[in-house]
Each structure stands twice: as structure tokens, then as C-alpha cells.
Amino acid sequence: MLPARVFSVAPLALVILALSGCSFLWGCTDTTAERGEAGVRVQVVDTDGQPLGVTAAVVDWSLEPHPQVPSEGDRVHFRFRFDGAEEYSDPAVDACAVDKERVALGCRTVHSSGAWSEPDGALTGDEWLVVEHPEQVAGVLLIPNDRSYDPRTCETDIKDGGGTHPPEPAGMGDQL
């Protein structure tokens, strides 16, 4: 028989462990958000799919040599715009050059912090995408999932890790 003292201390120990953040009792779980539908203009969403109040848009794009390496041939030069982004929030979305069937030919992440402020409060910027076959590019699309914050994983931090993570970045060959 266990003394009554053990039974009175056990609940207290469990409360202390729970409050300290120890997760060995509850387990740590990682999940991945679903990739949103790509578009020329998207509402940026967090990992729970909730709108952040920010719109990202491709303003225009063209094929042209990059001014610093013109000998490398045409690249995709595109301009983007973030509406509703606050300076400190720095939302980020993936931008992909796609062919006529919306297959990604090349992608990169664009951050609102890489843009400059316009008189109307929007943040605008431009980027370059390298693609193997520029002649196949039919447009540039944005993926609405915010990539600015990705919490630690259970693998890297069992105590404080876990939660919902952004979807894997889009890459060449992905159907958008």
C-alpha cells in the first residue's frame, strides 16, 4: 500500500509539469497547412487559413535579361504589391512563374519588407525569377500562404515545438 502522502503529492507534481511546458505527457505534434490556390491577386492567409487582412498581387511581369548578368539570357522580371501590410508584420508569399497549364517553372518567396512604400500605403517591389525555358512562361502567380513565420518543429524542440507549419514551398514542376 502506498502512503496517502504519495497520492496527495502526485497531482501537484503533474500540475507543475504541465505548467512548466513539459510535453512528454501530452506529446508534441506537427501539422502542415494546406496550400492555398495560387492567383495573380491573393488574400494572404496564416497557417490556419485565416486571412491576415493583406492582399498580395502581381502588378506586371516581362521577360528580359537581368541588368547585372545580361549574358545569361532572359529572366522573368515581375512587380508585386502588398496592400494592408504593416511595416512590422512582413508577410511573405511564394511567387512562381508558370506555363499555360499552371505548372511552376521557377519560384521564390517575396517579402513585403523587400518593397517600398507608396503614397497610398501599399508596399511595392520587384523581383527576378530564373527559369530554364523562359519562352514557356505564361504568367506569374502568388500562393496565398504566409511564409513569414514557421514555428519550431517537435524534432528540433520537443518542449516548445509543434503546431501548424506553412505548406512546403512550391517548386519547379508543381501544379498550381
Side-chain angles (χ1 to χ4, degrees), residues 4 34 50 80 125 150 154 161 163 173:
E34 291 290 321
Q50 299 302 310
F80 60 90
D150 193 359
C154 293

Side-chain angles (χ1 to χ4, degrees), residues 80-117:
F80 60 90
R81 175 182 175 104
F82 283 92
D83 287 298
E86 297 177 14
E87 277 186 55
Y88 62 88
S89 65
D90 191 28
V93 294
D94 284 339
C96 298
V98 296
D99 67 11
K100 63 183 177 187
E101 292 165 3
R102 296 175 60 118
V103 173
L105 302 172
C107 301
R108 74 172 310 141
T109 302
V110 293
H111 292 259
S112 65
S113 63
W116 52 91
S117 184

Side-chain angles (χ1 to χ4, degrees), residues 12 25 29 36 39 47 51 65 76 78-79 90 96 99 112-113 120 125 136 139 142 148 151 157 160 168:
L12 180 60
L25 294 174
T29 57
T47 53
V76 180
F78 68 98
R79 292 185 328 125
D90 191 28
C96 298
D99 67 11
S112 65
S113 63
D120 65 359
Q136 293 178 353
L142 302 175
S148 64
D157 188 347
D160 297 320
E168 288 296 315

